[in-house]
Each structure stands twice: as C-alpha cells, then as structure tokens.
C-alpha cells in the first residue's frame, strides 16, 4: 500500500510552506507529494497569502527533491489548453528526472473561474476527453513525426509534438464518482483511477465499474492502479486527534466516518478495509500544512505497519 501526501494549497500556503511539506514527504519515506489545482479558497478560511499555481509549484519542487513522485489531483481541464499543458507537464517531468504524474479532471469550481476571469464552459466532459486524447497523442508521437487532431473543441495541425517527457509514459490519473462516462474515460486513458472521499462500499462499486469498462475496452483491469483520496487526522491519543480535528474545523466522529481518523491502529485497520476492495494507494489529504509532526506520526506508526 503506497501512502502519498495530498495538499490543498488554495486554503492558504506559500511555496515555502509547500516545499517544507514536500521535503518532509521525501525524508519520511512517503511515495509522493501531490497537490490540488485551485485558484480560490473554499469555506471559512482567508486563503492567505493567496493561490499558488500547481505546475509552477511542481516545477520548483522537481528541482528541490530527488525521489518522491510529483503530481496533481486534479489539474482542471478548464485552466489550460491541452497543447500548452502537454508542454508544461513534459518540461516538469524533465526537470524532475522522470517523476511526474498527471491527474486531469474536467474542472468544477465555477467561483474560481469567475474570480480570475477564466472561461467556464457548459460542456466540460467532452472537452476533457479531447484534452486527454491531445495530450497523450502529443507525448506518444515519435520524434520527427507530426501530430494532427480534428476535434469538436480542439484542432491541431502539423504539431511537432515536442518536448517529450523524460519518462517513456507519464502516468495519467483519472478519477471521480460518475457511474458511466467516468469509467469509460478511465478505461481509455487511465494508468490510475482515483476515487476521492468515498466510503469503502462506494469505492468497491466504482472500482467494479472501472474494471468492467476496462475489460469492455479490451484492457486487462489490473493494468490500472486503483486508489483513494481521504482526509487524514491521526493522533497518539484521543486528545491529539481532537486537537488536530479542531485545527481543520472538523468533528472527530465525522472524520472517522468519512476519512482516516483516530489512533494509528484505527487508521491501519480502516486502510486495510480499502485494500480489501482493491485500493493499493492512498492519498492522505493533509489540511494543516504546518503540522509536520502529523506526517511523522503517520510515517512511524501507520506506514510502518502497511508494508
């Protein structure tokens, strides 16, 4: 079971804070550092000092880390043209020595688009499908050949399809709760399927849908990595769990029901339930980026039990 650290910088974090978390992620033996891709805070926080761009952040971290994987859950398809995003991600992959993964979603948070003058199209899923086709097509086009694409939303002609990533294939992560179109999209493009903030029962159902869609598409279902994203709130005792829950404005019982909360043994047991339904990777949503002791506790008392 891989454990990855997942951050939400739009809630309030500077690049220096993110760098501290990424370095701790690497030093403590976690598999990866991931971040959301948002430009506006959510809920009752001030969001100071303001948003950081996901791919600029990851470019910096690519040069400041050596081992951990780096990526997004999820880059918003509404933020970037697919050709531009393909260049950005390939460049960061080169800068990291081949440690980048691309989580790509349709985009959903209309208020952040309004706040920063970003168009928010009505038809987002069709655009996402074409974006995935363009990005993966550009990366897979042999050097010396060109790439063309004639879609409803995007048209490319005689693209040199450069630069190439350092990796032979950058892993593509697709996720969500959709019962029909999302599994079919994952079957076509995903190296990993992620379901965010879902119960064990909902996880099992959605993984089953993706497996069925993969088989129908002619792929072996086990070619896809299956993962969860869950909020983490772990403490050595009840008082520490309660303190960490209060800092992030959540109730302990709600966190235990909907996330990974409680003592290290409680969290290990719940992760085991997700593993039983097919999950092999957990993204630990870390909402207090100043609490590096939290990461140390999970590494020493949870990760150490998972093998």
């Amino acid at each position: 079971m891989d454990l990855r650290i997942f951050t939400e910088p739009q809630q309030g974090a500077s690049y220096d804070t993110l760098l501290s978390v990424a370095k701790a992620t690497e030093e403590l033996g976690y598999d990866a550092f991931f971040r959301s891709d948002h430009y506006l805070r959510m809920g009752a926080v001030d969001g100071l000092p303001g948003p950081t761009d996901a791919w600029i952040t990851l470019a910096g971290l690519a040069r400041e880390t050596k081992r951990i994987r780096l990526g997004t859950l999820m880059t918003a398809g509404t933020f970037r043209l697919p050709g531009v995003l393909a260049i950005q991600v390939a460049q960061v992959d080169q800068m990291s020595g081949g440690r980048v993964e691309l989580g790509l979603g349709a985009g959903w948070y209309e208020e952040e688009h309004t706040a920063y003058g970003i168009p928010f199209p009505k038809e987002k899923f069709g655009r996402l499908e074409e974006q995935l086709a363009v990005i993966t097509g550009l990366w897979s086009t042999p050097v010396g050949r060109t790439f063309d694409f004639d879609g409803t939303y995007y048209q490319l002609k005689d693209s040199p399809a450069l630069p190439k990533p350092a990796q032979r294939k950058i892993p593509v992560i697709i996720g969500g709760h959709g019962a029909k179109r999302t599994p079919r999209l994952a079957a076509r493009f995903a190296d990993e399927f992620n379901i965010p903030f879902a119960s064990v029962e909902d996880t099992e159902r959605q993984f089953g849908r993706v497996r069925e869609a993969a088989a129908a598409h002619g792929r072996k279902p086990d070619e896809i990595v299956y993962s969860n994203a869950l909020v983490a709130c772990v403490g050595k005792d009840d008082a520490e769990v309660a303190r960490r829950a209060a800092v992030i404005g959540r109730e302990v019982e709600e966190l235990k029901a909907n996330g990974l909360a409680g003592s290290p043994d409680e969290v290990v047991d719940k992760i085991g339930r997700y593993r039983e339904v097919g999950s092999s990777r957990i993204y630990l949503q870390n909402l207090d980026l100043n609490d590096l002791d939290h990461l140390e506790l999970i590494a020493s008392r949870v990760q150490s039990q998972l093998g």
Side-chain angles (χ1 to χ4, degrees), residues 185-206:
L185 198 66
R188 284 186 61 194
F189 294 107
D191 299 286
E192 177 179 337
F193 180 80
N194 177 269
I195 184 166
F197 314 118
S199 68
V200 173
E201 295 76 19
D202 287 345
T203 295
E204 184 174 25
R205 279 191 289 272
Q206 187 69 336

Side-chain angles (χ1 to χ4, degrees), residues 53-72:
D53 181 81
W55 287 100
I56 291 177
T57 297
L58 295 175
L61 297 180
R63 308 303 288 178
E64 302 263 15
T65 59
K66 297 184 182 303
R67 178 189 59 81
I68 50 174
R69 308 289 293 176
L70 301 166
T72 51

Side-chain angles (χ1 to χ4, degrees), residues 187-244:
R188 284 186 61 194
F189 294 107
D191 299 286
E192 177 179 337
F193 180 80
N194 177 269
I195 184 166
F197 314 118
S199 68
V200 173
E201 295 76 19
D202 287 345
T203 295
E204 184 174 25
R205 279 191 289 272
Q206 187 69 336
F207 285 177
R209 294 183 186 115
V210 175
R211 287 180 172 277
E212 289 176 5
H217 191 68
R219 294 181 66 184
K220 295 179 180 178
D222 288 342
E223 291 178 2
I224 299 172
V225 173
Y226 299 88
S227 66
N228 290 85
L230 295 160
V231 63
C233 183
V234 188
K236 294 188 294 289
D237 51 39
D238 290 345
E240 190 167 81
V241 175
R243 176 180 64 78
R244 287 196 164 113

Side-chain angles (χ1 to χ4, degrees), residues 71-152:
T72 51
L73 285 183
M74 301 283 189
T75 288
T78 48
F79 287 176
R80 299 167 180 87
L81 297 171
V84 174
L85 183 59
I87 292 169
Q88 291 171 323
V89 178
Q91 183 178 3
V92 178
D93 194 51
Q94 292 172 358
M95 293 169 70
S96 71
R99 294 183 284 124
V100 159
E101 303 184 11
L102 172 63
L104 186 61
W108 61 271
Y109 189 16
E110 186 170 3
E111 288 86 346
E112 69 187 333
H113 294 73
T114 301
Y116 286 96
I118 303 167
F120 189 70
K122 182 177 180 180
E123 174 48 58
K124 292 180 288 297
F125 199 91
R127 290 175 184 270
L128 173 62
E129 187 168 9
E130 289 193 10
Q131 288 166 339
L132 286 162
V134 168
I135 292 167
T136 57
L138 287 168
W139 289 340
S140 62
T141 298
V143 174
R145 297 187 184 179
T146 59
F147 176 79
D148 295 338
F149 185 84
D150 186 16
T152 301

Side-chain angles (χ1 to χ4, degrees), residues 2-69:
D2 293 333
L3 294 186
R4 296 181 159 189
I5 299 304
F6 171 41
T7 62
E8 301 273 7
Q10 76 279 352
Q11 300 301 91
S14 66
Y15 173 76
D16 286 340
T17 299
L18 294 171
L19 176 59
S20 295
V21 175
K23 286 186 172 180
T25 298
E26 184 156 271
E27 291 165 1
L28 291 168
Y30 291 100
D31 181 60
F33 173 94
F34 270 61
R35 58 157 293 163
S36 60
D37 189 9
H38 287 294
Y39 292 136
L40 192 67
R41 69 189 186 278
M42 302 172 193
V45 297
D46 58 27
L48 295 175
T52 50
D53 181 81
W55 287 100
I56 291 177
T57 297
L58 295 175
L61 297 180
R63 308 303 288 178
E64 302 263 15
T65 59
K66 297 184 182 303
R67 178 189 59 81
I68 50 174
R69 308 289 293 176

